Amino acid sequence: MSDNIWGYQPTAGHTAGADLIGFKVEAADGSIGKVDKHSDEVDSSYLVVDTGVWIFGKHVLLPAGTVRSVDPDERKIFVDLTKDQIKNSPEFDKEKHTDDPGYHEQIGGYYHGHRRV
């Protein structure tokens, strides 16, 4: 597993430039929602997941390094995290996300310590 939490793992099967909006996101123990936004920027790749009714009204920011695999045929993304790990993640803040480099460090630090190996 790569140490770069903000880059897709080479084995994930993600093709840069592929549109992932609307893909279902599956944690190790069940579905968590759908991709609302994503980025393929080098060293800053991520998914923003709308958790819908699971965590009412919450969006979560998942660094690309948490993605285990992408299934374009089924339109599903599998992540190396449990639902509880995602539920307990730092709150997604769309303002800090774009304006505060320390925010990415905070999110990255949380997920780097919680990835399954």
Side-chain angles (χ1 to χ4, degrees), residues 77-95:
I77 297 171
F78 298 88
V79 295
D80 278 336
L81 300 160
T82 66
K83 290 171 81 171
D84 277 346
Q85 288 170 328
I86 294 165
K87 189 175 188 176
N88 296 325
S89 69
E91 184 83 24
F92 174 63
D93 183 322
K94 64 182 176 184
E95 303 300 322

Side-chain angles (χ1 to χ4, degrees), residues 5-51:
I5 194 78
W6 296 102
Y8 286 94
Q9 299 174 44
T11 56
H14 173 65
T15 304
D19 184 6
L20 303 176
I21 293 174
F23 274 50
K24 290 183 180 178
V25 181
E26 299 285 330
D29 55 353
S31 179
I32 63 157
K34 291 185 177 182
V35 175
D36 190 46
K37 182 178 174 184
H38 68 95
S39 168
D40 286 335
E41 280 185 49
V42 175
D43 294 332
S44 189
S45 299
Y46 62 84
L47 305 172
V48 175
V49 180
D50 179 350
T51 61

Side-chain angles (χ1 to χ4, degrees), residues 61 90-93 96-97 100-108:
L61 178 66
E91 184 83 24
F92 174 63
D93 183 322
K96 284 185 178 180
H97 167 60
D100 181 357
Y103 179 68
H104 271 214
E105 288 178 26
Q106 176 192 6
I107 298 287

